[in-house]
Amino acid sequence: MPLRVELKPFERIIIGQSVITNSDSRTAFLIDGDAPILREKDILTSETANTPAKRIYLCVQMMYLENDIPAYQDLYLGFIKELIEAVPSFRDQIEAASNLILSGNLYKALRELRALIKREEELLR
């Protein structure tokens, strides 16, 4: 079943290895296939990954976009160890995300980590 995507004017989306920028009007299209897809609002960069949970998210984002878990596995393990030592109450969400990664559900792992980022933001206030 194809994925229906609606983009706001000038909104960007990553599909596979390509960044697509919408024109000046709202648009909708269907995507059929297995390429990784991330909307602009869900993309982190190295500059915006400025907290432990965001660094974990960026690491998993790269696993997802590059379809290469082993390339980022050591980095991921270091980041989660650091976060769990700092905030042990995050363990359950980290374990849930890790299980999703192990089963190949990287997009669902990113969703789990977005919720973790929100919890982190609440703690930092």
Side-chain angles (χ1 to χ4, degrees), residues 4-45:
R4 179 179 164 77
V5 175
E6 288 190 34
L7 295 178
K8 298 173 189 168
F10 303 104
E11 184 177 9
R12 291 180 290 178
I13 187 170
I14 294 176
I15 302 175
Q17 298 295 315
S18 301
V19 177
I20 298 169
T21 304
N22 191 21
S23 65
D24 60 350
S25 61
R26 188 171 197 86
T27 196
F29 55 93
L30 300 174
I31 302 170
D32 205 357
D34 292 329
I37 300 166
L38 276 181
R39 296 178 73 98
E40 183 174 14
K41 67 179 181 157
D42 297 325
I43 298 169
L44 281 183
T45 64

Side-chain angles (χ1 to χ4, degrees), residues 66-84:
E66 295 180 12
N67 195 24
D68 193 356
I69 295 170
Y72 296 94
Q73 187 172 0
D74 290 340
L75 190 60
Y76 175 77
L77 292 173
F79 286 153
I80 64 170
K81 181 178 183 239
E82 173 188 317
L83 184 59
I84 290 172

Side-chain angles (χ1 to χ4, degrees), residues 58-109:
L58 178 62
C59 188
V60 176
Q61 174 184 293
M62 297 311 297
M63 289 177 187
Y64 174 65
L65 291 175
E66 295 180 12
N67 195 24
D68 193 356
I69 295 170
Y72 296 94
Q73 187 172 0
D74 290 340
L75 190 60
Y76 175 77
L77 292 173
F79 286 153
I80 64 170
K81 181 178 183 239
E82 173 188 317
L83 184 59
I84 290 172
E85 286 175 359
V87 189
S89 65
F90 284 7
R91 178 179 296 277
D92 289 344
Q93 276 184 290
I94 292 292
E95 286 179 359
S98 294
N99 288 332
L100 289 166
I101 292 167
L102 288 173
S103 65
N105 291 312
L106 295 168
Y107 187 80
K108 287 182 180 179

